[in-house]
Amino acid sequence: MGNSALKAHLETAQKTGVFQLTGKGLTEFPEDLQKLTSNLRTIDLSNNKIELLPPLIGKFSLLKSLALNNNKLAALPEELCKLKKLETLHLNGNHLRQLPAAFGQLSALKTLSLSGNQLRTVPTQLSGLRHLDVVDLSKNQIQNVPDTVGELQAIELNLNQNQISQISVQISHCPRLKVLRLEENCLELSMLPQSILSDSQISLLAVEGNLFEIKKLRELEGYDKYMERFTATKKKFA
């Protein structure tokens, strides 16, 4: 991609606050973007070959949305956590094994997509995010869901297509969790906390493709309570 094309993109971005450059084979974060740290509200560099996100990402103080889906990121810089206005972060299809320690400081974050990475657990940092609505951790290598999940504020948690065989009973204490997706994992029915059914806010539990038949789930104590929530929610959106 020529310099003139990049220049045109930069000029447009300066006016619109949006910089989008996808599927161009970029191997690094465009350095010229640092001229726009006080302009940009949206950056989309998806479908490139970017391996590193530079520390300068922390300087985009107005940034609300950052998308780097399908790149080659193996780590994220701590500086990312300075983005106090960031509401949407899409990092699907990278090589991430963990999140920066200070990730919980992304206080405005509402939507987080980390599908298709190499995470092995539900990151504890997520529990500090007060405005989180949707978390997608599908298609990772997560094997267990730890106790810290009980403090998660999300409304929807997608854990489909992992290797989960254990879930903390604390998941039923999530104050806002309505949708829990656990399809295609390694769960035995005995490892599914019954309190998810009998004593939680969850009104949509998706567990197809585990190590038990769905009809067995219907025999569990608390299933009728879950169905009450499920039906009430359905009516609300009908």
Side-chain angles (χ1 to χ4, degrees):
M1 176 173 169
N3 275 348
S4 55
L6 181 59
K7 204 173 166 203
H9 271 281
L10 288 166
E11 281 171 13
T12 309
Q14 194 162 4
K15 296 185 190 105
T16 61
V18 177
F19 184 84
Q20 187 176 27
L21 202 57
T22 58
K24 297 289 185 207
L26 295 180
T27 53
E28 49 190 50
F29 187 89
E31 218 168 82
D32 286 343
L33 279 185
Q34 59 192 343
K35 297 170 188 161
L36 300 177
T37 48
S38 55
N39 299 67
L40 292 184
R41 289 184 300 280
T42 300
I43 296 177
D44 186 355
L45 292 164
S46 297
N47 304 316
N48 283 295
K49 294 173 182 170
I50 297 167
E51 291 181 24
L52 281 177
L53 197 53
L56 84 92
I57 191 68
K59 295 192 173 139
F60 291 89
S61 53
L62 298 180
L63 202 62
K64 277 190 160 183
S65 173
L66 176 61
L68 285 151
N69 295 325
N70 305 317
N71 276 282
K72 297 188 169 184
L73 297 171
L76 299 170
E78 288 290 340
E79 286 81 2
L80 176 71
C81 309
K82 293 179 181 168
L83 301 176
K84 295 291 180 233
K85 298 208 165 160
L86 194 67
E87 293 178 6
T88 309
L89 180 58
H90 291 294
L91 295 164
N92 300 326
N94 280 284
H95 308 307
L96 299 170
R97 290 170 185 269
Q98 57 195 36
L99 297 179
F103 198 82
Q105 291 174 12
L106 290 170
S107 49
L109 201 62
K110 290 179 181 173
T111 303
L112 174 64
S113 302
L114 288 162
S115 180
N117 279 282
Q118 294 168 21
L119 299 172
R120 293 186 176 270
T121 186
V122 177
T124 54
Q125 295 96 314
L126 303 187
S127 299
L129 297 166
R130 289 283 163 262
H131 298 285
L132 208 52
D133 290 334
V134 179
V135 183
D136 185 355
L137 301 174
S138 61
K139 300 181 184 172
N140 277 278
Q141 296 161 18
I142 297 169
Q143 293 174 6
N144 68 336
V145 180
D147 286 348
T148 45
V149 76
E151 292 166 41
L152 192 67
Q153 297 290 322
I155 296 168
E156 176 169 345
L157 176 59
N158 186 343
L159 292 165
N160 289 346
Q161 296 181 330
N162 278 284
Q163 299 154 21
I164 296 167
S165 59
Q166 282 186 312
I167 300 179
S168 166
V169 69
Q170 296 296 326
I171 199 157
S172 38
H173 297 166
C174 292
R176 299 167 68 214
L177 191 62
K178 298 275 192 285
V179 179
L180 178 59
R181 301 187 188 279
L182 286 162
E183 294 179 20
E184 294 179 47
N185 277 285
C186 309
L187 281 169
E188 302 272 3
L189 190 56
S190 59
M191 287 294 161
L192 192 71
Q194 289 199 13
S195 52
I196 289 178
L197 299 172
S198 61
D199 192 24
S200 79
Q201 302 288 320
I202 295 165
S203 55
L204 178 65
L205 175 65
V207 286
E208 286 79 5
N210 279 282
L211 307 178
F212 58 86
E213 292 175 55
I214 291 298
K215 66 178 183 205
K216 293 275 190 227
L217 181 70
R218 298 183 191 127
E219 294 164 14
L220 288 183
E221 202 176 323
Y223 188 78
D224 49 344
K225 278 190 170 174
Y226 161 68
M227 280 314 291
E228 280 171 25
R229 296 192 304 272
F230 176 80
T231 313
T233 305
K234 259 194 145 164
K235 278 186 186 145
K236 203 159 65 177
F237 293 110

